[in-house]
């Protein structure tokens, strides 16, 4: 059930145009060139999200979710 809630949260963040911060990030590895969000939420335009869920016994699921131009959220109509 937690994976479903996480997937819904990922879709809503995509629709709202928000990336949540990377929690507990104290010192990123200097050679790891990733775009972290350390300080707080960031506004972005994203078309696709990845939601990963891990369970006991090695159960793993990954969902790639996105929307097409026909499914634009009302907040995107003004863009």
């Amino acid at each position: 059930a937690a994976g479903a809630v996480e997937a819904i949260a990922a879709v809503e963040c995509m629709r709202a145009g928000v990336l949540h911060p990377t929690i507990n990030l104290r010192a990123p590895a200097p050679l790891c060139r990733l775009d972290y969000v350390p300080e707080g939420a960031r506004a972005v335009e994203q078309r696709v999200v990845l939601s990963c869920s891990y369970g006991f016994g090695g159960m793993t699921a990954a969902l790639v979710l996105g929307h097409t131009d026909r499914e634009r959220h009302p907040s995107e109509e003004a863009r």
Side-chain angles (χ1 to χ4, degrees):
V5 172
E6 183 178 320
I8 292 168
V11 168
E12 288 305 312
C13 288
M14 177 182 62
R15 295 177 89 189
V18 174
L19 286 179
H20 286 281
T22 305
I23 62 170
N24 299 323
L25 178 66
R26 301 212 188 336
L31 297 178
C32 190
R33 298 171 50 186
L34 294 176
D35 184 16
Y36 296 105
V37 185
E39 301 289 321
R42 182 191 310 164
V44 296
E45 182 176 335
Q46 50 189 353
R47 308 285 298 155
V48 178
V49 295
L50 173 65
S51 177
C52 296
S53 183
Y54 308 98
F56 294 110
M59 300 299 291
T60 303
L63 296 174
V64 177
L65 305 163
H67 59 83
T68 66
D69 290 335
R70 292 181 309 227
E71 299 173 334
R72 288 197 152 195
H73 191 268
S75 67
E76 296 180 347
E77 295 300 323
R79 294 183 196 173

